[in-house]
């Protein structure tokens, strides 16, 4: 089931985000992700429309939407490759005509996933925080 995040679930989502980020971004030191926990908890999640995917009262993933951008799509490492990310992305696609996101160049798995979901590369930029290159991607409803 997909539903809107409750504020009491922020800590659970931050924990899921941290574990997923460390696993998916092994090219970025873990202490960087550790340094972002407070911002994720107090700024990013509360200022986005965030939806969770839940099965049997367990949160398996979440997606955030903010002003045409998908700043977060994270799936628990134990639930990856089971369709959770696709379901969350489709949920957001049904509600919007256009979406953009950024994915690290070195995160080949995520880049391929977004391409399979209809996203197209349109630019590249350097992430100011990590100094790693990102691919900017866009999806438009046809």
């Amino acid at each position: 089931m997909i539903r809107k995040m409750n504020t009491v679930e922020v800590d659970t989502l931050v924990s899921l985000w941290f574990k997923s980020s460390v696993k998916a971004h092994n090219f970025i030191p873990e202490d960087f992700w550790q340094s972002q926990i407070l911002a994720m908890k107090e700024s990013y999640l509360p200022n986005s429309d965030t939806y969770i995917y839940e099965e049997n009262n367990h949160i398996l993933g979440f997606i955030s939407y903010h002003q045409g951008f998908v700043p977060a799509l994270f799936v628990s490492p134990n639930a990856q490759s089971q369709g959770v990310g696709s379901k969350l992305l489709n949920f957001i696609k049904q509600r919007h005509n256009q979406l953009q996101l950024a994915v690290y160049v070195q995160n080949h798995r995520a880049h391929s996933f977004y391409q399979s979901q209809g996203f197209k590369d349109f630019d590249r930029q350097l992430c100011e925080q990590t100094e790693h290159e990102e691919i900017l991607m866009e999806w438009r409803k046809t």
Side-chain angles (χ1 to χ4, degrees):
M1 170 177 85
I2 296 175
R3 63 173 174 78
K4 190 127 173 101
M5 172 195 82
N6 295 318
T7 54
V8 296
E9 297 169 318
V10 168
D11 288 335
T12 301
L13 297 188
V14 169
S15 177
L16 188 155
W17 161 82
F18 179 77
K19 291 173 189 169
S20 299
S21 293
V22 169
K23 180 181 178 189
H25 307 106
N26 61 356
F27 48 91
I28 296 173
E30 185 174 327
D31 62 347
F32 168 76
W33 302 112
Q34 191 74 40
S35 76
Q36 298 301 301
I37 288 174
L38 192 60
M40 192 70 172
K41 181 178 180 174
E42 294 182 357
S43 181
Y44 295 124
L45 287 174
N47 292 311
S48 296
D49 293 325
T50 299
Y51 300 90
I52 65 166
Y53 182 90
E54 179 180 57
E55 281 184 4
N56 301 319
N57 294 319
H58 289 93
I59 295 173
L60 301 181
F62 72 92
I63 190 166
S64 296
Y65 173 87
H66 183 72
Q67 299 178 348
F69 203 79
V70 177
L73 171 57
F74 290 94
V75 176
S76 172
N78 298 339
Q80 291 181 357
S81 300
Q82 296 176 23
V84 173
S86 297
K87 289 175 185 172
L88 285 164
L89 202 50
N90 286 332
F91 180 85
I92 294 296
K93 284 172 154 181
Q94 290 171 2
R95 287 153 177 75
H96 302 282
N97 293 325
Q98 179 181 345
L99 299 170
Q100 292 184 349
L101 56 83
V103 61
Y104 287 109
V105 168
Q106 291 169 278
N107 191 347
H108 305 293
R109 185 174 181 201
H111 185 235
S112 294
F113 167 74
Y114 290 123
Q115 285 177 319
S116 76
Q117 299 298 310
F119 282 78
K120 307 277 188 235
D121 300 2
F122 74 89
D123 203 0
R124 287 182 180 230
Q125 68 184 15
L126 197 63
C127 174
E128 293 177 10
Q129 294 177 308
T130 64
E131 298 185 1
H132 284 267
E133 191 175 21
E134 297 176 310
I135 301 167
L136 299 175
M137 302 183 79
E138 182 176 65
W139 170 85
R140 290 178 188 256
K141 191 174 281 187
T142 53

